[in-house]
């Protein structure tokens, strides 16, 4: 038996001296060499998932040896992370708005930026009051619509997606989060499944990456479904369509709220405010990095 930790994960289960502390240190160094941004955090989240514990447990059990089967499962995850699968896709879940969402290869991993959109929408829905009914178009995991249902007891929601696999994940998340009775799910192209319905607010984080930027996105993002990311030549295709099709579905005094990519906010605000029966100025909200991230346009009273 060797006492020197191995260099590659293939050897993780041949070396039987691993403790929680030593395996984390080894993985941190390994991930760092592979160019992963948050090597220590990723190692901890993966190991906590294997052990079925909270991350904090790792810190008070550094000297605890790992079982063979735990190491074998962990090794597979480490190999996948080194091939730039995201941690969320490896463990099959992601925290968003303090809630746990199932994610699969059919869904985008919900991003912290999108919490800004949810918070801004919730604030405005509260002011409007009156049992708001919302649509979350392109719902993916259901992150936006289901969070709003959880945050606000009086909200009901329609969640749509063009991907049936994604919509199935959203339905599963609705059940897990105990909000299924407040939601309806429709498969279809943008507003097509919403014809004849009315909403206090239409909310979306549509695909917004411009064609020429697609090749430069992080390897983890490249593994996400292209239908969740590609926004056409200038990234604005979905906003143009929403500007045309969404306003007639919004009740007077209601709003449309969308997440936008870097540098897109002014163009999206212009598109939405030019639509008929929309107020002529829109709100633009910045994310924590100071990037204009959310556009909110109001329907006239
Ligand atoms: N709302 C989720 C979130 O914020 O995490 C997912 C957002 S992801 C950027 C965009 C979503 O829109 C994907 O789930 C994708 O399948 C869906 N989508 C793409 N084109 C669509 C279309 N034409 N109609 C409806 N949904 C569409
Ligand atoms: N925020 C995602 C990213 O750039 C893109 C999601 C989208 O197109 N709406 O990683």
């Amino acid at each position: 038996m060797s006492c020197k930790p191995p260099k590659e994960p293939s050897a993780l289960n041949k070396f039987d001296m691993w403790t929680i502390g030593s395996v984390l240190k080894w993985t941190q160094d390994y991930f760092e060499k592979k160019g992963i941004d948050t090597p220590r955090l990723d190692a901890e989240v993966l190991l906590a998932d294997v052990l079925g514990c909270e991350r904090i447990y790792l810190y008070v059990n550094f000297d605890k040896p790992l079982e063979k089967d735990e190491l074998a499962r962990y090794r597979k995850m480490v190999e996948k992370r080194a091939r730039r699968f995201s941690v969320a896709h490896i463990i099959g879940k992601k925290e968003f708005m303090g809630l746990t969402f199932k994610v699969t290869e059919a869904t985008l991993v919900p991003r912290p930026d999108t919490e800004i959109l949810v918070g801004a929408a919730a604030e405005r829905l509260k002011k409007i009051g009156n049992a708001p009914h919302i649509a979350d178009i392109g719902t993916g995991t259901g992150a936006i619509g289901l969070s709003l249902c959880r945050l606000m007891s009086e909200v009901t929601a329609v969640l749509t997606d063009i991907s049936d696999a994604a919509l199935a994940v959203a339905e599963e998340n609705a059940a897990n989060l105990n909000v299924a009775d407040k939601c309806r799910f429709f498969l279809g192209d943008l507003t097509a499944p919403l014809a004849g319905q009315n909403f206090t607010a239409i909310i979306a984080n549509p695909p917004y990456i411009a064609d020429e930027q697609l090749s430069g996105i992080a390897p983890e993002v490249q593994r996400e479904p292209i239908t969740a990311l590609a926004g056409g030549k200038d990234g604005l295709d979905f906003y143009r369509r929403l500007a045309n099709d969404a306003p007639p579905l919004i009740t007077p005094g209601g709003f449309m709220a969308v997440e936008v990519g870097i540098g897109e906010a002014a163009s999206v605000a212009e598109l939405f405010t030019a639509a008929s029966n929309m107020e002529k100025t829109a709100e633009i909200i910045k994310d924590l990095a100071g990037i204009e991230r959310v556009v909110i346009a109001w329907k006239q009273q």
Side-chain angles (χ1 to χ4, degrees), residues 140-142 146 159 164 166-176 180 185-186:
T141 55
L146 301 181
L159 292 82
D164 54 353
L167 205 61
V169 174
E171 287 193 60
E172 208 178 317
N173 281 326
N176 291 342
F185 299 85
F186 292 100

Side-chain angles (χ1 to χ4, degrees), residues 143-197:
I144 297 169
L146 301 181
S147 297
L148 286 167
C149 283
R150 279 289 293 237
L151 274 172
M152 299 176 66
S153 57
E154 64 281 25
V155 163
T156 53
V158 165
L159 292 82
T160 79
D161 209 287
I162 201 155
S163 153
D164 54 353
L167 205 61
V169 174
E171 287 193 60
E172 208 178 317
N173 281 326
N176 291 342
L177 295 169
N178 290 321
V179 291
D181 55 341
K182 298 169 53 158
C183 302
R184 286 189 300 148
F185 299 85
F186 292 100
L187 183 67
D189 185 12
L190 288 194
T191 54
L194 306 180
Q197 302 181 46

Side-chain angles (χ1 to χ4, degrees), residues 43-215:
E44 289 179 9
V45 174
L46 295 177
L47 190 58
D49 190 71
V50 165
L51 301 180
C53 67
E54 303 279 332
R55 270 171 58 216
I56 189 134
Y57 168 93
L58 305 174
Y59 281 85
V60 288
N61 289 283
F62 267 178
D63 296 330
K64 189 173 182 292
L66 290 169
E67 305 286 340
K68 251 195 155 84
D69 68 309
E70 292 167 345
L71 265 178
R73 277 185 288 138
Y74 182 65
R75 174 199 142 184
K76 281 198 181 121
M77 290 182 166
V78 169
E79 283 170 342
K80 269 192 132 172
R81 185 71 192 102
R83 284 188 287 130
R84 305 302 287 266
F85 284 84
S86 66
V87 170
H89 277 135
I90 295 169
I91 66 174
K93 60 187 179 198
K94 175 76 183 175
E95 293 291 309
F96 179 82
M97 298 299 294
L99 304 166
T100 302
F101 286 82
K102 173 178 170 163
V103 303
T104 70
E105 293 188 357
T107 67
L108 188 94
V109 176
R111 307 284 205 267
D113 293 334
T114 308
E115 295 183 346
I116 307 280
L117 172 63
V118 172
E123 249 175 68
R124 285 152 187 80
L125 289 170
K126 275 199 181 111
K127 281 196 191 132
I128 294 174
N130 219 355
H133 183 52
I134 61 163
D136 171 10
I137 297 181
T139 194
T141 55
I144 297 169
L146 301 181
S147 297
L148 286 167
C149 283
R150 279 289 293 237
L151 274 172
M152 299 176 66
S153 57
E154 64 281 25
V155 163
T156 53
V158 165
L159 292 82
T160 79
D161 209 287
I162 201 155
S163 153
D164 54 353
L167 205 61
V169 174
E171 287 193 60
E172 208 178 317
N173 281 326
N176 291 342
L177 295 169
N178 290 321
V179 291
D181 55 341
K182 298 169 53 158
C183 302
R184 286 189 300 148
F185 299 85
F186 292 100
L187 183 67
D189 185 12
L190 288 194
T191 54
L194 306 180
Q197 302 181 46
N198 279 292
F199 300 94
T200 319
I202 292 185
I203 306 165
N205 171 19
Y208 58 58
I209 301 178
D211 285 347
E212 64 176 20
Q213 284 166 13
L214 277 173
S215 57

Side-chain angles (χ1 to χ4, degrees), residues 283-299:
E283 297 179 73
I284 294 179
I285 299 168
K286 292 184 177 162
D287 65 17
L288 298 173
I291 295 164
E292 292 180 336
R293 186 56 73 187
V294 170
V295 175
I296 299 187
W298 291 83
K299 179 95 178 247

